[in-house]
Every structure is written in C-alpha cells, then in structure tokens.
C-alpha cells in the first residue's frame, strides 16, 4: 500500500478519535479504521469512559469484513481486561491481518505488551510514527502516564494592557462573545476546572461548560480553599461534582466543616501544609491526587495568587490567552512573581504554539519550550 | 477592457507606489502604469520628495508610446506647479487618452481639480474605487490633508503579562531579534520618531532606523522635554535631525538653553502651557506643528506617561504591539489611565487590524474603531 494511503487512513482514524474529545477521560481519545482492498470496511472511536474501545467498535461495524483486514489505530491496542475485554483479544479473534498504530500506549500496563501479544498471534504490527499527533490529542493522558500528574492549562482573558480585572476585581466582560464561547470548548474537554476560593466568593461563577448545540459531559470543579471560606450556597455547588482542596488540620471545627461538606456530597481533599507553620499546601500534592482520580486535563481559571503558586511549583503546561482590544488603564495581572533581575535576558521558557483571531479578540496558546511527555520508543 | 485587467493594472501601480514607502514624505506614495493595447508600456513611482512624480516617470519610461495610452495612477494627478511641473500638464502634453485613478487627491490644492483639468483637455477620467488601498498606503498623508494632524502610531513591546519594562525600568530585550527588526521597518517609513525625555535619559537610545541591506532615509527624532533635562551628549543627537518640544517660558535661563540648542542645530519647538499654572502643553499643538513640517506618519516609542497623554488627548491612530512569550511577573505597563468604571462594559474603541507571528513573538496592530480619514467623494 502506498505511504500516502497509510497516512490518509491514519488521519481518518484521528478525525474519528477527536469525536470523543469531551467524553473519554480517564481513557485517551482513540480512533480506528479497518481497511480491506484499500477500502474502509469499518470505523470506530472510543465514545466515552466505560464504553467499548475504538478497535472493538470498528470491528463490530465491519461485520463479516474484519477477517483479513488491516487495522489503523491511533494508539497501541490494550492487552488487559478493564471495563471491557482486552482489545488484542478481540483483534486476534476477528482475524485481523495487520495492525498499523500511530504510537505505543504510554500506559505502563500496555507500553508495547499490546504489540507483543498481537505479534505472538501472527499479526503483523507496524508503526507509522504519528506519536506527536496522538500526544496532541491526548496531552493529559500522556503526561499522567509518564509523570502521575495531569496536563495543566491556565486560561487567561486579558485586556490589551495586560489586565485580567479592574482594580475593583471586576472582570466582566474583557473578551467578546465568540472568545467566551471558545473558552467553553476548553472547559468541555477538561476533566476538571480549577479555581480559587476568592474567585468563588467574589464572582460566584457557575463554572459549567456551555457549548451551544451540544450536551456536554460536565467537568468536575475543584476549589482551592485552604481556610474553607466558600459558602455552600455558592452557584458552583448548584450542579455537577465539586472537589474542595483544603488544608489538613487537627482542628475540631475544621473537621466538622469537612464532615459537613462530605455529607453534602462534596469531595474534600485534605492536604498537609508545606511545613508545620505553613498555611499553604503543595499544589503538586493536589495535582497528584487529581491524577489518581484519572484526571487527564485540568483547566485553571483563577486569580493571580493561584496562577502564581502553580507557576512557582512549575506545574503549568500550557497557557490559553484571550487578548482583548479593550484598554483598562490599570488593574490586576494574571500573575505576580518576584521578578528575577534576569527575566529579560533569560532564555525563553514559553513558546507560542498557536495565534488566531476569535471574533473581536485574539487567542494565543503557549507551551513550555521543552516538554518531554512524548517521544516514546518505537516497537 | 475587462474589469479584472483594470484592477490588475492598478494593483501593479500600487506595488510600484510601495517602493517609495520610506522616502516620499511629505508627499504621498504614488505609483503609475501606462497601458497600450492591453500591455504595459511605461511604469513609474514617486521615489523621493523633490523628485519627479510617478506619472512623469511613467511617461518618460514609455518614451514614444505614451501617446494614445491609458494611465493607471494610484492618486489623482496634481494640477499645480510645486517642486516639479504639474502632472496634468505633462499628461496632456504626452497625449494620454484615458486616466484611471484609484481616488481623489485629498490635498485641498488638488481635490478634483486635477481631474477637471484633464477633462477640459479632452482626456477621459475614470475612478476605480480603490481609495481604501490608497489610504492604507498613505494614512498619514490622508489624515494630514483632512485634519492638519499626522497619523500617530504607538509602538509597544510587551511581555506576556503585559509589561513594557521591569520595575527598574529595564526593558532590553523583551522581544526577539526578528520582532526588533520588524520594528525598524516601522521606523523607516515614519517621518519622525517621538519619545520622552525620560526614555532618552534612562535608555540613551540612538533612535535610528536600521533595516538590513537598505540605506534608509532616517526619520527625524522628536523629544518631549518640557523641562529641558536631556543632555546634549545623549546618543540621540549623534546623527540626523532632532526636534526638542519644550514648554514656552519667559525665563532667562531657559531662553539661553533654547538658544544653545538651536545653535547646535537642534530644532526647538516651544509650546505654550495648558494654563498659566501648568507645566504641560497640549500634544495636539505639537502634532499640529509637526504636521506643518510635512510629517505624515509619526512613530511613538516612549513610556506610559507619554502614551497616556496622547491617549487622553485622543491623538493615537494605531497601536503596533509586539507581544513576547516572556513572563516578567511585575513591571511597568505601556499606559496608565484613571480606569473608568465602565471600561469593561463600554463599546470597544479599538479593533485588531492584523495579527501575525514575527519570529518568537506575536505582532498585533490595532486601529480606532471609527476612523474617518478616507471616504472622499468620487469624481
């Protein structure tokens, strides 16, 4: 088969995979195409956590035609029984002849074992190296598998002169409608939204993902609230699952409050203070706990203190910046750091990944200059 | 002739006009194409102030073929003798049959009179409405002709978090090499660069236009220095023409200082204070004086106090923003205004005109939402 055809089939598998964008976590987004005589005979993608994997959907759709076919799949097929039967088992049983994958599954439970299993059963296995595409579709899954931490995006809406709010704290509406709608798409694909107690107290946001025309699986909501100051009447509790991250304290009153939240269905994560005197915890511990819950991608929408803490601990992977044409003249910045004298001359830590216009505003995404969450060995 | 051919010839005339980008002021950039039997027989553009106009260059290049030809010119031909003979005179003498222009000359000395002169002499005159293109090529000339003020661009290099300098005032290097080179192109096309005395004192810039591989006509340099604090040893005086804008004062010491500057070849503009008690002048008066000197486009590169004053007087036409991916954490903003309570809810005053990546940075230009410096009547 010509190289260009192989890439075309794999691209189709990626297009399918993307349909699961908002629903597959904690699993990755995966797409699959079955080809016979250079024609697609079955397609599938992983629709949602707990449902059939992409490979199995494609096999089912191919009906009798799976036997002797070639499978194009965006990620190495799994080889262990989880919520569903192992994909390798199904592929072998269906009589697939060749499996072409875009990359190895970074999940240590698989990581090449899926390919081994297929080979042992007489199936030819080949990699088209499109790991980068698979990573781009699943940055959170890759990062979590490699480091037990989720992929952290910080969303910022700023004025032309760089402010996220007026001095009064007011921030509605820096950006236009189209930019705000775009922001909701980032919410929808995230496992959780992370914010600070001050944002909840001051702005009382609903913190839901609203994407017009789509019934979106709502991300969970995480509130950083070390002193438990958030009112249970806040709108953020009105729907969906809420997680409160607070400071672990052997204080009777606090224990009661925590108990009370738990009884109301709020998941409380108690984190030990940085030191015995400290009133702060390490965000790395919180993110570790969220990773254990299977959270791949986290969207941070908060004030400068939250963002600065995450940056200080070097935990931010991506900035999503909506830049407005409005000039405020004075206000609050998205981050406050002790400026290093060499901040200007230092090598850049961040690089622009994309720059686009969204309605009246400009959208810019930035990534860390060196990220090492993909780049796995080939088969 | 097909409409598409006409547009093609006019586009060619605009391409030629742009070759004069850095050199024609106080004149506009103009290009001209002569066409006979649907073929170009002569081309020209206005190369520099004082040299032949585009029409005359094209006529000369066409040699014997000008007679009976059609002329495509980006601006109405002039009809008065200035540094050179009136273009209408030359066009009539050469026997041109038809003149197609992109728009009327906004110069009150012409403004339709050129077309009248041609018509009176049996030449067919037609407008393809490309006034917007002519305006884009000559925003300063259009604005100056309509309002006796130059087109004011404010150039800003800012960090990701919106700062133009560290708290210490240090600002080298927020943006990368390619962005800085791009900035020099904006300098090169400007009639003058405008900055504040504090920038001169703190940064001691040369303030020249350095465009690699090009011998650039240097813009003049204007220093806002109400208290005459700038040292004559500053690098800004090392080359080119310098204008000092200062406060008019009946003070012997000041008068002596002014005299001293003038003897050193510095052009001093003395501006009366806003009121008898004030130590400030109206920037509108300064810009009026610069307009009288024939300055079409002005590039402002200064600190927040200069930019804020210009904005408060509503004198800025365009922002050129270079956005870096560097995060400073704290610093100085490009503007400091008394934030209006309704800054967030007000209708936008600025709109993004272009957004591009330049090397490691992002370039964004913004214009006033409603500018009325073009939109002249047709013939």
């Amino acid at each position: 088969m010509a190289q260009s055809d192989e890439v075309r089939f794999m691209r189709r598998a990626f297009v399918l995979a993307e349909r699961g964008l908002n629903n597959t976590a904690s699993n990755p987004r995966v797409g699959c195409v079955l080809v016979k005589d250079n024609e697609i005979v079955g397609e599938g993608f992983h629709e949602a956590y707990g449902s059939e994997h992409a490979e199995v959907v494609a096999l089912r759709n191919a009906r009798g035609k799976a036997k002797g076919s070639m499978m194009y799949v965006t990620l190495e097929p799994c080889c262990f029984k989880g919520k569903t039967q192992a994909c390798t088992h199904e592929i072998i049983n269906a009589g697939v002849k060749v499996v072409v994958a875009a990359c190895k599954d970074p999940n240590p439970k698989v990581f090449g074992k899926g390919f081994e299993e297929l080979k042992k059963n007489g199936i030819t296995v080949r990699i088209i190296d499109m790991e980068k595409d698979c990573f781009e579709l699943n940055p959170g899954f890759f990062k979590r598998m490699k480091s037990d931490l989720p992929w952290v995006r910080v969303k910022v809406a700023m004025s032309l002169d760089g402010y996220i709010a007026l001095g009064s704290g007011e921030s509605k509406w820096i950006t236009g409608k189209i930019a705000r709608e775009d922001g909701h798409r980032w919410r929808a694909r995230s496992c959780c939204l992370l914010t600070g107690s001050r944002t909840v107290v001051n702005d009382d946001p609903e913190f839901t993902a609203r994407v017009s025309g789509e019934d979106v699986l709502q991300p969970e909501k995480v509130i950083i609230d070390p002193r438990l100051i958030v009112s249970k009447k806040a709108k953020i509790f009105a729907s969906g699952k809420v997680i409160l991250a607070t400071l672990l304290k052997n204080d009777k009153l606090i224990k009661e409050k925590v108990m009370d939240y738990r009884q109301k269905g709020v998941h409380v994560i108690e984190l030990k203070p940085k030191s015995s005197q400290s009133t702060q915890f390490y965000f790395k511990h919180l993110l570790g706990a969220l990773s254990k819950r299977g959270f791949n991608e986290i969207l941070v929408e908060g004030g400068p203190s939250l963002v600065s803490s995450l940056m200080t601990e070097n935990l931010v992977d991506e900035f999503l910046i909506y830049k407005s044409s409005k000039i405020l003249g004075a206000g609050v910045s998205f981050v406050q750091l002790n400026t290093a004298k060499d901040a200007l001359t230092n090598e850049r830590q961040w690089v622009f990944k994309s720059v686009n216009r969204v309605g009246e505003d400009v959208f810019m995404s930035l990534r860390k200059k060196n990220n090492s969450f993909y780049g796995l060995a080939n088969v």
Side-chain angles (χ1 to χ4, degrees), chain A:
Chain A
M1 193 176 297
Q3 172 73 18
S4 62
D5 279 333
E6 296 234 303
V7 171
R8 184 165 58 85
F9 290 131
M10 192 61 89
R11 289 236 168 275
R12 174 67 189 155
F14 272 108
V15 167
L16 294 165
E18 220 173 316
R19 292 195 192 157
L21 193 68
N22 299 339
N23 300 309
T24 67
S26 57
N27 288 338
R29 295 121 185 169
V30 182
C32 182
V33 165
L34 282 172
V35 174
K36 215 166 170 175
D37 300 329
N38 218 21
E39 265 183 35
I40 292 175
V41 295
E43 292 187 336
F45 65 97
H46 186 40
E47 271 194 63
Y49 179 73
S51 76
E52 286 173 324
H53 286 191
E55 299 92 320
V56 177
V57 178
L59 289 170
R60 183 160 37 74
N61 286 346
R63 291 186 188 134
K65 297 180 178 167
K67 200 176 159 70
S69 69
M70 286 180 75
M71 174 178 280
Y72 290 85
V73 60
T74 60
L75 191 71
E76 177 182 7
C78 71
C79 53
F80 61 92
K81 202 177 160 179
K83 286 255 171 192
T84 57
Q85 183 61 265
C87 286
T88 47
H89 177 86
E90 306 275 7
I91 294 165
I92 294 159
N93 276 357
V96 171
K97 206 172 59 181
V98 180
V99 170
V100 184
C103 69
K104 237 177 176 173
D105 187 342
N107 186 346
K109 284 198 213 159
V110 186
F111 200 61
K113 294 192 201 89
F115 292 143
E116 286 311 313
E117 181 74 18
L118 295 171
K119 285 187 206 165
K120 258 195 287 182
N121 285 275
I123 296 174
T124 304
V125 173
R126 204 161 59 236
I127 296 254
I128 315 183
D129 187 6
M130 289 172 74
E131 192 192 357
K132 190 166 192 318
D133 300 71
C134 195
F135 167 77
E136 287 300 333
L137 193 60
N138 297 294
F141 181 75
F142 271 69
K143 186 181 174 193
R144 189 163 65 86
M145 289 303 136
K146 291 197 84 176
S147 70
D148 290 319
L149 287 171
W151 182 262
V152 178
R153 295 190 178 97
V154 171
K155 197 184 95 176
V156 178
M158 63 162 74
S159 68
L160 192 67
D161 42 349
Y163 300 115
I164 61 162
L166 296 175
S168 62
E170 202 185 338
S171 62
K172 284 188 177 177
W173 304 97
I174 284 178
T175 51
K177 194 164 173 278
I178 296 172
R180 298 199 306 269
E181 282 172 359
D182 194 64
H184 277 274
R185 299 199 166 272
W186 289 103
R187 284 186 175 182
R189 66 176 287 171
S190 302
C191 294
C192 74
L193 312 178
L194 187 78
T195 194
S197 52
R198 262 171 277 181
T199 299
V200 175
V201 170
N202 296 339
D203 303 354
D204 197 16
E206 282 178 65
F207 241 44
T208 52
R210 301 181 289 277
V211 180
S212 73
E214 282 180 45
D215 193 13
V216 174
L217 180 70
Q218 288 299 320
E220 300 192 23
K221 310 160 186 188
V222 182
I223 309 170
I224 309 299
D225 190 9
R227 294 178 295 132
L228 289 176
I229 60 166
V230 166
S231 155
K232 273 162 288 185
K233 285 175 192 157
K235 281 190 198 149
I236 199 165
F237 294 105
S239 68
K241 289 188 191 169
V242 182
I243 297 170
L244 259 184
T246 194
L247 210 59
L248 177 67
K249 268 193 185 167
N250 283 323
D251 175 300
K252 192 165 166 256
L253 214 69
I254 294 287
K255 287 286 174 207
E256 272 170 20
K257 264 193 174 180
V258 166
M259 190 68 83
D260 189 34
Y261 271 115
R262 285 188 172 140
Q263 276 167 359
K264 290 202 157 57
V266 176
H267 181 76
V268 183
I269 300 178
E270 292 171 287
L271 295 145
K272 59 173 198 261
K274 285 184 178 177
S275 65
S276 57
Q277 307 301 321
S278 178
T279 58
Q280 295 184 310
F281 50 75
Y282 286 107
F283 277 83
K284 190 169 181 176
H285 295 163
L286 170 62
L287 294 183
L290 297 177
S291 171
K292 281 211 179 59
R293 284 177 75 82
F295 288 0
N296 290 333
E297 301 177 16
I298 289 187
L299 186 65
V300 178
E301 301 188 35
S305 122
L306 173 56
V307 174
S308 305
S309 297
L310 287 165
M311 281 190 71
T312 305
E313 284 190 52
N314 199 24
L315 294 169
V316 180
D317 295 294
E318 192 167 21
F319 281 107
L320 311 175
I321 294 186
Y322 293 92
K323 180 96 169 166
S324 166
S325 61
K326 287 186 182 174
I327 295 171
L328 298 187
V332 178
S333 292
F334 77 85
V335 67
Q336 278 152 16
L337 301 169
N338 292 325
T339 309
K341 257 191 285 180
D342 45 5
L344 284 166
T345 45
N346 270 350
E347 216 200 317
R348 286 171 196 243
Q349 290 183 21
W350 295 92
V351 289
F352 287 104
K353 176 162 164 59
S354 67
V355 178
N356 296 299
R357 299 177 75 150
V358 281
E360 305 168 285
D361 305 297
V362 174
F363 172 75
M364 303 177 278
S365 73
L366 296 99
R367 294 263 182 96
K368 282 239 184 73
K369 194 160 191 172
N370 305 304
N371 91 56
S372 54
F373 301 121
Y374 72 95
L376 307 168
N378 275 354
V379 183

